Coordinates of all heavy atoms in Angstrom, one line a residue:
M185 N 80.7 99.2 81.0 CA 81.3 99.2 82.4 C 82.7 98.7 82.3 O 83.0 97.7 81.7 CB 80.4 98.2 83.2 CG 80.7 98.4 84.7 SD 79.7 97.2 85.7 CE 78.3 98.2 86.1
T186 N 83.6 99.4 83.0 CA 85.0 98.9 83.0 C 85.3 97.9 84.0 O 84.4 97.7 84.9 CB 86.0 100.1 83.3 OG1 85.8 100.5 84.6 CG2 85.7 101.3 82.3
R187 N 86.4 97.2 83.9 CA 86.7 96.1 84.8 C 86.7 96.6 86.2 O 86.2 96.0 87.1 CB 88.1 95.6 84.4 CG 88.6 94.4 85.3 CD 90.1 94.2 85.1 NE 90.9 95.4 85.2 CZ 91.3 95.9 86.4 NH1 90.9 95.3 87.5 NH2 91.9 97.0 86.4
S188 N 87.3 97.8 86.4 CA 87.5 98.2 87.8 C 86.2 98.7 88.5 O 86.1 98.5 89.7 CB 88.6 99.3 87.9 OG 88.2 100.4 87.0
T189 N 85.3 99.2 87.8 CA 84.0 99.6 88.4 C 83.2 98.3 88.8 O 82.4 98.4 89.7 CB 83.1 100.5 87.6 OG1 82.9 99.9 86.3 CG2 83.8 101.9 87.4
R190 N 83.4 97.2 88.1 CA 82.7 96.0 88.5 C 83.4 95.3 89.7 O 82.7 94.6 90.4 CB 82.7 95.0 87.3 CG 81.4 95.0 86.6 CD 81.4 93.9 85.6 NE 82.3 94.2 84.4 CZ 83.2 93.4 83.9 NH1 83.4 92.2 84.4 NH2 83.9 93.8 82.9
T191 N 84.6 95.7 90.0 CA 85.4 95.0 91.1 C 84.7 95.4 92.4 O 84.4 96.6 92.6 CB 86.8 95.5 91.1 OG1 87.4 95.2 89.8 CG2 87.6 94.8 92.2
R192 N 84.5 94.4 93.2 CA 84.0 94.7 94.6 C 85.2 95.0 95.5 O 86.0 94.1 95.6 CB 83.1 93.5 95.1 CG 82.0 93.2 94.3 CD 80.8 94.1 94.5 NE 79.8 93.4 95.4 CZ 79.3 93.9 96.5 NH1 79.7 95.1 96.9 NH2 78.5 93.3 97.3
F193 N 85.2 96.1 96.1 CA 86.4 96.5 96.9 C 86.2 95.9 98.3 O 85.2 95.9 98.8 CB 86.6 98.0 96.9 CG 87.2 98.5 95.6 CD1 86.4 98.9 94.6 CD2 88.6 98.5 95.5 CE1 86.9 99.4 93.4 CE2 89.1 98.9 94.3 CZ 88.3 99.4 93.3
P194 N 87.3 95.5 98.8 CA 87.3 95.0 100.2 C 86.9 96.1 101.2 O 87.2 97.3 100.9 CB 88.8 94.6 100.5 CG 89.4 94.5 99.2 CD 88.7 95.4 98.3
R195 N 86.2 95.8 102.2 CA 85.8 96.8 103.2 C 87.0 97.5 103.9 O 87.0 98.7 104.1 CB 85.0 96.1 104.3 CG 83.5 96.4 104.2 CD 82.8 95.8 105.4 NE 83.2 96.4 106.7 CZ 82.8 97.6 107.1 NH1 82.0 98.3 106.3 NH2 83.2 98.1 108.2
M196 N 88.0 96.7 104.2 CA 89.2 97.3 104.8 C 90.4 96.9 104.0 O 90.6 95.8 103.6 CB 89.4 96.7 106.2 CG 88.3 97.1 107.2 SD 88.8 96.7 108.8 CE 87.1 96.8 109.6
I197 N 91.3 97.9 103.9 CA 92.6 97.8 103.2 C 93.7 98.4 104.0 O 93.6 99.5 104.4 CB 92.5 98.4 101.8 CG1 91.3 97.8 101.0 CG2 93.8 98.2 101.0 CD1 91.0 98.6 99.7
R198 N 94.7 97.6 104.2 CA 95.9 98.1 104.9 C 96.8 98.7 104.0 O 97.1 98.2 102.9 CB 96.6 96.9 105.6 CG 97.8 97.3 106.4 CD 98.4 96.1 107.2 NE 98.9 95.0 106.3 CZ 100.1 95.0 105.7 NH1 100.9 96.0 105.9 NH2 100.4 94.0 105.0
G199 N 97.3 99.9 104.3 CA 98.3 100.6 103.5 C 97.9 102.1 103.4 O 97.1 102.6 104.2
S200 N 98.6 102.8 102.5 CA 98.3 104.2 102.3 C 98.2 104.5 100.8 O 98.9 104.0 100.0 CB 99.5 105.1 102.8 OG 99.9 104.6 104.0
V201 N 97.2 105.4 100.5 CA 97.1 105.9 99.1 C 98.0 107.1 99.0 O 97.9 108.1 99.7 CB 95.7 106.2 98.8 CG1 95.5 106.8 97.4 CG2 94.8 105.0 98.9
V202 N 99.0 107.0 98.1 CA 100.0 108.0 97.8 C 100.2 108.3 96.3 O 99.9 107.4 95.5 CB 101.3 107.7 98.5 CG1 101.3 107.7 100.0 CG2 102.0 106.5 97.9
V203 N 100.6 109.5 96.0 CA 100.9 109.9 94.7 C 102.4 109.7 94.5 O 103.2 110.4 95.2 CB 100.4 111.3 94.3 CG1 100.8 111.7 92.9 CG2 98.9 111.4 94.5
Q204 N 102.8 108.9 93.5 CA 104.2 108.8 93.2 C 104.6 109.6 92.0 O 103.8 109.7 91.0 CB 104.6 107.3 92.9 CG 104.6 106.4 94.1 CD 105.2 105.0 93.7 OE1 105.0 104.6 92.6 NE2 105.7 104.4 94.7
R205 N 105.7 110.3 92.1 CA 106.2 111.1 90.9 C 107.6 110.5 90.5 O 108.5 110.3 91.3 CB 106.4 112.5 91.3 CG 105.1 113.2 91.6 CD 105.3 114.6 92.1 NE 103.9 115.2 92.4 CZ 103.3 115.0 93.5 NH1 103.9 114.3 94.5 NH2 102.1 115.5 93.7
R206 N 107.6 110.1 89.3 CA 108.9 109.5 88.8 C 109.1 109.7 87.3 O 108.2 110.1 86.5 CB 108.9 108.0 89.1 CG 107.6 107.3 88.5 CD 107.8 105.8 88.6 NE 108.1 105.3 89.9 CZ 107.9 104.1 90.3 NH1 107.3 103.2 89.5 NH2 108.3 103.7 91.5
R207 N 110.4 109.4 86.9 CA 110.8 109.4 85.5 C 110.5 108.1 84.9 O 110.6 107.1 85.6 CB 112.3 109.7 85.4 CG 112.7 111.1 85.7 CD 114.2 111.3 85.6 NE 114.6 112.2 86.7 CZ 115.6 113.0 86.6 NH1 116.4 112.9 85.6 NH2 115.9 113.8 87.5
C208 N 110.2 108.1 83.6 CA 109.9 106.8 83.0 C 111.2 106.2 82.4 O 111.3 105.0 82.1 CB 108.8 106.9 81.9 SG 109.3 107.9 80.5
G209 N 112.2 107.0 82.2 CA 113.5 106.5 81.7 C 113.7 106.8 80.2 O 114.9 106.7 79.8
K210 N 112.7 107.2 79.5 CA 112.9 107.6 78.1 C 113.6 108.9 77.9 O 113.1 109.9 78.5 CB 111.6 107.6 77.3 CG 111.0 106.3 77.0 CD 109.6 106.4 76.3 CE 108.8 105.1 76.5 NZ 107.4 105.4 76.5
Q211 N 114.7 109.0 77.1 CA 115.4 110.2 77.0 C 114.6 111.3 76.4 O 114.8 112.5 76.7 CB 116.7 110.0 76.1 CG 117.7 109.0 76.7 CD 118.4 109.6 78.0 OE1 118.8 110.8 78.0 NE2 118.5 108.8 79.0
S212 N 113.7 111.0 75.5 CA 112.9 112.0 74.7 C 111.7 112.5 75.5 O 111.0 113.4 75.0 CB 112.5 111.5 73.4 OG 111.8 110.3 73.6
C213 N 111.4 111.9 76.6 CA 110.1 112.2 77.3 C 110.2 113.5 78.0 O 111.3 114.0 78.4 CB 109.8 111.0 78.3 SG 108.2 111.2 79.0
R214 N 109.0 114.1 78.3 CA 109.0 115.4 79.0 C 109.5 115.3 80.4 O 109.9 116.2 81.1 CB 107.5 115.9 79.0 CG 106.6 114.9 79.8 CD 105.2 115.5 79.9 NE 104.2 114.5 80.4 CZ 104.0 114.3 81.6 NH1 104.6 115.0 82.6 NH2 103.1 113.3 82.0
C215 N 109.5 114.0 80.9 CA 110.0 113.8 82.3 C 111.5 113.8 82.5 O 112.0 113.9 83.6 CB 109.4 112.5 82.9 SG 110.1 111.0 82.1
A216 N 112.2 113.7 81.3 CA 113.7 113.6 81.4 C 114.4 114.7 82.1 O 115.4 114.4 82.7 CB 114.2 113.4 79.9
D217 N 113.9 115.9 82.0 CA 114.5 117.0 82.7 C 114.3 117.0 84.2 O 114.8 117.9 85.0 CB 114.2 118.4 82.1 CG 112.7 118.7 82.2 OD1 111.9 117.9 82.8 OD2 112.2 119.7 81.7
G218 N 113.4 116.1 84.7 CA 113.1 116.0 86.1 C 112.1 117.0 86.6 O 111.8 117.1 87.8
E219 N 111.5 117.8 85.7 CA 110.6 118.9 86.1 C 109.1 118.4 86.0 O 108.3 118.6 86.9 CB 110.7 120.1 85.2 CG 112.1 120.7 85.2 CD 112.3 121.9 86.0 OE1 111.4 122.8 85.9 OE2 113.3 122.0 86.8
Q220 N 108.8 117.7 84.9 CA 107.5 117.3 84.7 C 107.4 115.7 84.8 O 107.4 115.0 83.8 CB 107.0 117.7 83.3 CG 106.8 119.1 83.1 CD 106.4 119.5 81.7 OE1 107.2 119.5 80.7 NE2 105.1 119.7 81.5
L221 N 107.4 115.3 86.0 CA 107.4 113.9 86.3 C 106.1 113.2 86.1 O 105.0 113.9 86.1 CB 108.0 113.6 87.7 CG 109.4 114.2 88.0 CD1 109.7 113.9 89.4 CD2 110.4 113.6 87.1
H222 N 106.1 112.0 85.8 CA 104.8 111.2 85.7 C 104.2 111.0 87.1 O 105.0 110.6 88.0 CB 105.0 109.9 85.1 CG 105.6 110.0 83.7 ND1 104.8 110.1 82.6 CD2 106.9 110.0 83.2 CE1 105.6 110.2 81.5 NE2 106.8 110.1 81.9
E223 N 103.0 111.2 87.3 CA 102.3 111.0 88.6 C 101.4 109.7 88.5 O 100.7 109.6 87.5 CB 101.4 112.2 88.9 CG 102.3 113.4 89.3 CD 101.4 114.5 90.0 OE1 100.2 114.3 90.0 OE2 102.0 115.4 90.4
S224 N 101.5 108.9 89.4 CA 100.6 107.8 89.5 C 100.2 107.6 91.0 O 101.0 107.8 91.9 CB 101.2 106.5 88.9 OG 102.5 106.3 89.4
T225 N 98.9 107.3 91.2 CA 98.4 107.1 92.5 C 98.4 105.6 92.8 O 98.0 104.8 92.0 CB 96.9 107.6 92.6 OG1 96.9 109.0 92.2 CG2 96.4 107.5 94.0
V226 N 99.0 105.3 93.9 CA 99.2 103.9 94.2 C 98.8 103.6 95.7 O 98.7 104.5 96.5 CB 100.7 103.5 94.1 CG1 101.2 103.7 92.7 CG2 101.6 104.2 95.1
L227 N 98.6 102.3 96.0 CA 98.4 101.9 97.4 C 99.8 101.4 97.8 O 100.4 100.5 97.1 CB 97.4 100.8 97.5 CG 97.3 100.2 98.9 CD1 96.5 101.2 99.8 CD2 96.6 98.9 98.9
S228 N 100.3 102.0 98.8 CA 101.7 101.7 99.3 C 101.5 100.8 100.6 O 100.6 101.2 101.4 CB 102.4 103.0 99.6 OG 103.6 102.7 100.4
Y229 N 102.1 99.7 100.7 CA 102.0 98.9 101.9 C 103.3 98.2 102.2 O 104.1 98.1 101.3 CB 100.8 97.9 101.7 CG 101.1 96.9 100.7 CD1 101.5 95.6 101.0 CD2 100.9 97.1 99.3 CE1 101.8 94.6 100.0 CE2 101.1 96.2 98.3 CZ 101.6 94.9 98.7 OH 101.8 94.0 97.7
S230 N 103.5 97.7 103.4 CA 104.7 96.9 103.6 C 104.3 95.4 103.8 O 103.2 95.1 104.4 CB 105.4 97.5 104.9 OG 104.6 97.3 106.0
A231 N 105.1 94.6 103.3 CA 104.9 93.2 103.5 C 106.3 92.5 103.6 O 107.2 92.8 102.8 CB 104.2 92.6 102.2
G232 N 106.4 91.7 104.6 CA 107.7 91.1 104.9 C 108.9 92.1 105.1 O 110.0 91.8 104.6
G233 N 108.6 93.2 105.7 CA 109.6 94.2 105.9 C 110.0 95.0 104.7 O 110.9 95.8 104.7
R234 N 109.3 94.8 103.6 CA 109.6 95.6 102.3 C 108.4 96.5 102.0 O 107.2 96.0 102.2 CB 109.9 94.7 101.2 CG 111.0 93.7 101.5 CD 111.4 92.9 100.3 NE 112.0 93.8 99.3 CZ 112.6 93.4 98.2 NH1 112.6 92.1 97.9 NH2 113.1 94.2 97.3
N235 N 108.7 97.6 101.4 CA 107.6 98.5 100.9 C 107.2 98.0 99.5 O 108.0 97.8 98.6 CB 108.0 99.9 100.8 CG 107.8 100.6 102.2 OD1 106.9 100.3 102.9 ND2 108.6 101.5 102.5
K236 N 105.9 97.9 99.3 CA 105.4 97.5 98.0 C 104.3 98.5 97.5 O 103.7 99.2 98.4 CB 104.9 96.1 98.0 CG 105.9 95.1 98.4 CD 105.4 93.7 98.3 CE 106.6 92.7 98.5 NZ 106.2 91.3 98.3
T237 N 103.9 98.5 96.3 CA 102.9 99.3 95.8 C 102.0 98.6 94.8 O 102.4 97.6 94.2 CB 103.4 100.6 95.0 OG1 104.3 100.1 94.0 CG2 104.2 101.5 95.9
V238 N 100.7 99.0 94.8 CA 99.7 98.5 93.8 C 99.3 99.8 93.1 O 98.8 100.7 93.7 CB 98.5 97.9 94.6 CG1 97.5 97.4 93.5 CG2 99.0 96.8 95.4
M239 N 99.4 99.7 91.8 CA 98.9 100.9 90.9 C 97.4 100.9 91.0 O 96.7 99.9 91.0 CB 99.3 100.6 89.5 CG 100.8 100.7 89.2 SD 101.3 102.5 89.0 CE 100.9 102.7 87.3
L240 N 96.9 102.2 91.1 CA 95.4 102.3 91.2 C 94.9 103.1 89.9 O 95.5 104.1 89.6 CB 95.0 103.1 92.4 CG 95.4 102.5 93.8 CD1 95.1 103.4 94.9 CD2 94.8 101.1 93.9
A241 N 93.9 102.6 89.3 CA 93.2 103.4 88.3 C 92.4 104.5 88.9 O 92.1 104.5 90.1 CB 92.3 102.4 87.5
A242 N 92.2 105.6 88.1 CA 91.5 106.8 88.6 C 90.2 106.4 89.3 O 89.9 107.0 90.3 CB 91.3 107.7 87.5
D243 N 89.5 105.5 88.7 CA 88.1 105.1 89.3 C 88.2 104.1 90.5 O 87.2 103.7 91.0 CB 87.2 104.7 88.2 CG 87.7 103.4 87.5 OD1 88.8 103.0 87.8 OD2 86.9 102.8 86.7
E244 N 89.4 103.8 90.9 CA 89.6 102.9 92.0 C 90.0 103.6 93.3 O 89.9 103.1 94.4 CB 90.7 101.8 91.7 CG 90.4 100.9 90.6 CD 91.5 100.0 90.3 OE1 92.7 100.4 90.2 OE2 91.3 98.8 90.1
I245 N 90.6 104.8 93.1 CA 91.2 105.6 94.2 C 90.3 105.8 95.3 O 90.6 105.5 96.5 CB 91.8 106.9 93.6 CG1 92.9 106.6 92.6 CG2 92.3 107.8 94.8 CD1 93.4 107.8 91.8
E246 N 89.0 106.3 95.1 CA 88.1 106.6 96.2 C 87.8 105.4 97.0 O 87.8 105.4 98.2 CB 86.9 107.3 95.7 CG 87.0 108.8 95.7 CD 87.8 109.4 96.9 OE1 87.4 109.2 98.1 OE2 88.8 110.0 96.6
A247 N 87.5 104.3 96.3 CA 87.1 103.1 97.0 C 88.2 102.5 97.8 O 88.0 102.1 99.0 CB 86.6 102.0 96.0
V248 N 89.4 102.6 97.3 CA 90.6 102.2 98.1 C 90.9 103.1 99.3 O 91.1 102.6 100.4 CB 91.9 102.0 97.2 CG1 93.1 101.7 98.0 CG2 91.6 100.9 96.1
R249 N 90.7 104.4 99.1 CA 90.9 105.3 100.2 C 89.9 105.0 101.3 O 90.2 105.1 102.5 CB 90.6 106.8 99.7 CG 91.8 107.4 99.2 CD 91.7 109.0 99.3 NE 93.0 109.5 98.8 CZ 93.0 110.1 97.6 NH1 91.9 110.3 96.9 NH2 94.2 110.6 97.2
T250 N 88.6 104.7 100.9 CA 87.6 104.4 101.9 C 88.0 103.1 102.7 O 87.9 103.1 103.9 CB 86.2 104.2 101.2 OG1 85.9 105.4 100.5 CG2 85.1 103.8 102.2
G251 N 88.5 102.1 102.0 CA 88.9 100.9 102.7 C 90.1 101.2 103.6 O 90.1 100.6 104.7
V252 N 91.0 102.0 103.2 CA 92.1 102.4 104.1 C 91.6 103.1 105.3 O 92.1 102.8 106.5 CB 93.2 103.3 103.3 CG1 94.2 103.9 104.2 CG2 93.9 102.4 102.2
K253 N 90.7 104.0 105.2 CA 90.1 104.8 106.3 C 89.4 103.8 107.3 O 89.6 103.9 108.5 CB 89.1 105.8 105.8 CG 89.7 107.2 105.6 CD 88.6 108.2 105.2 CE 89.1 109.2 104.2 NZ 88.0 109.7 103.3
R254 N 88.6 102.9 106.7 CA 88.0 101.9 107.6 C 89.0 101.1 108.4 O 88.8 100.8 109.6 CB 87.1 101.0 106.8 CG 85.8 101.6 106.3 CD 84.8 100.5 106.0 NE 83.7 101.0 105.2 CZ 83.6 100.9 103.9 NH1 84.5 100.2 103.2 NH2 82.5 101.4 103.3
Y255 N 90.0 100.7 107.7 CA 91.0 99.9 108.4 C 91.7 100.7 109.5 O 91.8 100.2 110.6 CB 92.1 99.4 107.4 CG 93.3 98.7 108.1 CD1 93.2 97.4 108.6 CD2 94.5 99.4 108.2 CE1 94.2 96.8 109.2 CE2 95.6 98.8 108.9 CZ 95.4 97.5 109.3 OH 96.5 96.9 110.0
R256 N 92.0 101.9 109.3 CA 92.6 102.8 110.3 C 91.7 103.0 111.5 O 92.2 103.0 112.6 CB 93.0 104.1 109.7 CG 94.1 103.9 108.7 CD 95.1 105.0 108.6 NE 96.2 104.7 107.7 CZ 96.7 105.5 106.8 NH1 96.2 106.7 106.7 NH2 97.6 105.1 106.0
S257 N 90.4 103.3 111.2 CA 89.6 103.5 112.4 C 89.3 102.3 113.2 O 89.2 102.3 114.4 CB 88.3 104.3 112.0 OG 87.5 103.5 111.1
A258 N 89.2 101.1 112.5 CA 89.1 99.8 113.2 C 90.3 99.6 114.0 O 90.2 99.1 115.2 CB 88.8 98.7 112.2
Q259 N 91.5 99.9 113.5 CA 92.7 99.6 114.2 C 92.8 100.6 115.4 O 93.3 100.1 116.5 CB 93.9 99.9 113.2 CG 95.2 99.5 113.7 CD 96.3 99.8 112.7 OE1 96.3 100.9 112.1 NE2 97.3 98.9 112.5
A260 N 92.4 101.8 115.2 CA 92.4 102.8 116.4 C 91.5 102.3 117.5 O 91.8 102.4 118.6 CB 92.0 104.2 115.9
A261 N 90.3 101.8 117.1 CA 89.3 101.3 118.1 C 89.9 100.1 118.8 O 89.7 100.0 120.0 CB 88.0 101.0 117.4
L262 N 90.5 99.2 118.1 CA 91.1 98.1 118.7 C 92.2 98.5 119.7 O 92.3 97.9 120.8 CB 91.7 97.2 117.6 CG 92.3 95.8 118.0 CD1 91.2 94.9 118.5 CD2 93.0 95.2 116.8
E263 N 93.0 99.4 119.3 CA 94.1 99.9 120.2 C 93.5 100.5 121.5 O 94.0 100.3 122.6 CB 94.9 101.0 119.4 CG 96.1 101.5 120.1 CD 97.3 101.0 119.4 OE1 97.3 100.0 118.7 OE2 98.4 101.6 119.5
T264 N 92.4 101.3 121.3 CA 91.7 102.0 122.4 C 91.2 100.9 123.4 O 91.4 101.0 124.6 CB 90.6 102.9 121.9 OG1 91.2 103.9 121.1 CG2 89.9 103.6 123.1
E265 N 90.5 99.9 122.8 CA 90.0 98.9 123.7 C 91.1 98.1 124.4 O 91.0 97.8 125.6 CB 89.1 97.9 122.8 CG 88.2 97.0 123.7 CD 87.3 96.1 122.8 OE1 87.1 96.5 121.6 OE2 86.9 95.1 123.3
G266 N 92.1 97.8 123.7 CA 93.2 97.0 124.3 C 93.9 97.8 125.4 O 94.3 97.3 126.4
N267 N 94.1 99.1 125.2 CA 94.7 100.0 126.2 C 93.8 100.1 127.4 O 94.3 100.1 128.6 CB 95.0 101.4 125.7 CG 96.3 101.3 124.8 OD1 97.2 100.6 125.1 ND2 96.3 102.2 123.8
A268 N 92.4 100.2 127.2 CA 91.5 100.3 128.3 C 91.6 99.0 129.1 O 91.5 99.0 130.4 CB 90.1 100.5 127.8
G269 N 91.7 97.8 128.5 CA 91.8 96.6 129.1 C 93.1 96.5 130.0 O 93.1 96.0 131.1
L270 N 94.2 97.0 129.4 CA 95.4 97.0 130.1 C 95.4 97.9 131.3 O 95.8 97.5 132.4 CB 96.5 97.5 129.1 CG 97.9 97.7 129.7 CD1 98.5 96.4 130.2 CD2 98.8 98.3 128.6
D271 N 94.8 99.1 131.2 CA 94.6 100.0 132.3 C 93.8 99.4 133.4 O 94.1 99.5 134.6 CB 93.9 101.3 131.9 CG 94.8 102.2 131.0 OD1 96.1 101.9 131.0 OD2 94.3 103.1 130.4
A272 N 92.7 98.7 133.0 CA 91.8 98.0 134.0 C 92.5 97.0 134.8 O 92.4 96.8 136.0 CB 90.6 97.4 133.3
L273 N 93.3 96.2 134.1 CA 94.1 95.1 134.7 C 95.1 95.7 135.7 O 95.2 95.3 136.8 CB 94.9 94.3 133.7 CG 95.7 93.1 134.2 CD1 94.8 92.0 134.7 CD2 96.7 92.6 133.1
I274 N 95.8 96.7 135.2 CA 96.8 97.4 136.1 C 96.2 98.0 137.3 O 96.7 97.8 138.5 CB 97.7 98.4 135.3 CG1 98.6 97.6 134.3 CG2 98.5 99.3 136.2 CD1 99.2 98.5 133.2
S275 N 95.1 98.7 137.2 CA 94.5 99.4 138.3 C 93.8 98.4 139.3 O 93.8 98.6 140.5 CB 93.5 100.5 137.9 OG 92.5 100.0 137.2
A276 N 93.3 97.2 138.8 CA 92.8 96.2 139.6 C 94.0 95.6 140.5 O 93.8 95.3 141.7 CB 92.2 95.1 138.8
R277 N 95.1 95.4 139.9 CA 96.3 94.9 140.6 C 96.7 95.9 141.7 O 97.0 95.5 142.8 CB 97.5 94.7 139.7 CG 97.4 93.6 138.7 CD 97.5 92.2 139.5 NE 96.9 91.2 138.6 CZ 97.6 90.4 137.8 NH1 98.9 90.6 137.7 NH2 97.0 89.5 137.1
A278 N 96.7 97.2 141.3 CA 97.1 98.2 142.3 C 96.2 98.3 143.5 O 96.6 98.4 144.6 CB 97.2 99.6 141.6
S279 N 94.8 98.2 143.2 CA 93.9 98.3 144.4 C 93.9 97.0 145.2 O 93.7 97.0 146.4 CB 92.5 98.7 143.9 OG 92.1 97.8 142.9
A280 N 94.2 95.9 144.6 CA 94.3 94.6 145.3 C 95.5 94.7 146.3 O 95.5 94.2 147.4 CB 94.5 93.4 144.4
R281 N 96.6 95.3 145.8 CA 97.8 95.4 146.6 C 97.6 96.4 147.8 O 98.1 96.1 148.9 CB 98.9 96.0 145.7 CG 100.3 95.3 146.0 CD 101.4 95.8 145.0 NE 101.2 95.3 143.6 CZ 101.1 96.0 142.5 NH1 101.2 97.3 142.6 NH2 101.0 95.4 141.4
Q282 N 96.8 97.5 147.5 CA 96.5 98.4 148.6 C 95.6 97.7 149.7 O 95.7 98.1 150.9 CB 95.8 99.6 148.1 CG 96.8 100.6 147.4 CD 96.1 101.7 146.6 OE1 94.9 101.8 146.6 NE2 96.9 102.6 146.1
A283 N 94.7 96.8 149.3 CA 93.8 96.2 150.2 C 94.5 95.3 151.1 O 94.0 95.0 152.2 CB 92.7 95.5 149.4
R284 N 95.7 94.8 150.7 CA 96.4 93.8 151.5 C 96.9 94.4 152.8 O 97.3 95.5 152.9 CB 97.6 93.2 150.7 CG 97.5 91.7 150.6 CD 98.6 91.1 149.9 NE 98.4 91.1 148.4 CZ 99.3 91.2 147.5 NH1 100.6 91.5 147.8 NH2 99.0 91.2 146.2
Ligands
ZN163 ZN1 108.5 110.0 80.9

């Protein structure tokens, strides 16, 4: 069993799973011509106003994607509930004003 399959992944993860393509910097490497770049899948996130990344091993990608999806749907649900609360407050004020 590898280290990463033993890792318990968090239920929710903030960020995005993206594929980065880049040169490694070695003159003799296949990536030097800019055509065959190295690809790595990372979790991209912002912290303190800066973009940061965490490298993901192949067997970690799905679990991290799942955590990201859970975070996004929880965030969307929170937003929906907050907006419904705001609407309710505003319409209660409006009907109180009409009753006066
Ligand atoms: Zn290279």
Side-chain angles (χ1 to χ4, degrees):
M185 196 185 263
T186 66
R187 180 193 53 81
S188 53
T189 55
R190 257 187 288 131
T191 305
R192 301 279 261 127
F193 283 92
R195 256 185 64 73
M196 292 191 198
I197 303 171
R198 181 174 63 83
S200 317
V201 175
V202 296
V203 178
Q204 284 188 334
R205 290 175 185 84
R206 54 167 53 157
R207 288 176 214 208
C208 67
K210 285 180 202 145
Q211 293 294 315
S212 58
C213 187
R214 63 177 169 87
C215 69
D217 63 1
E219 305 254 316
Q220 292 177 281
L221 300 178
H222 299 274
E223 291 194 350
S224 47
T225 304
V226 300
L227 176 75
S228 167
Y229 67 99
S230 63
R234 306 187 64 174
N235 274 328
K236 297 187 175 188
T237 56
V238 180
M239 291 276 278
L240 300 175
D243 60 354
E244 296 176 314
I245 296 168
E246 266 325 296
V248 172
R249 275 207 178 105
T250 300
V252 167
K253 268 185 215 152
R254 283 203 195 99
Y255 174 73
R256 293 215 176 133
S257 61
Q259 193 182 37
L262 186 67
E263 188 111 334
T264 300
E265 193 178 338
N267 282 328
L270 177 62
D271 288 347
L273 180 72
I274 289 168
S275 60
R277 290 288 159 94
S279 51
R281 220 174 289 128
Q282 281 169 359
R284 238 182 271 148

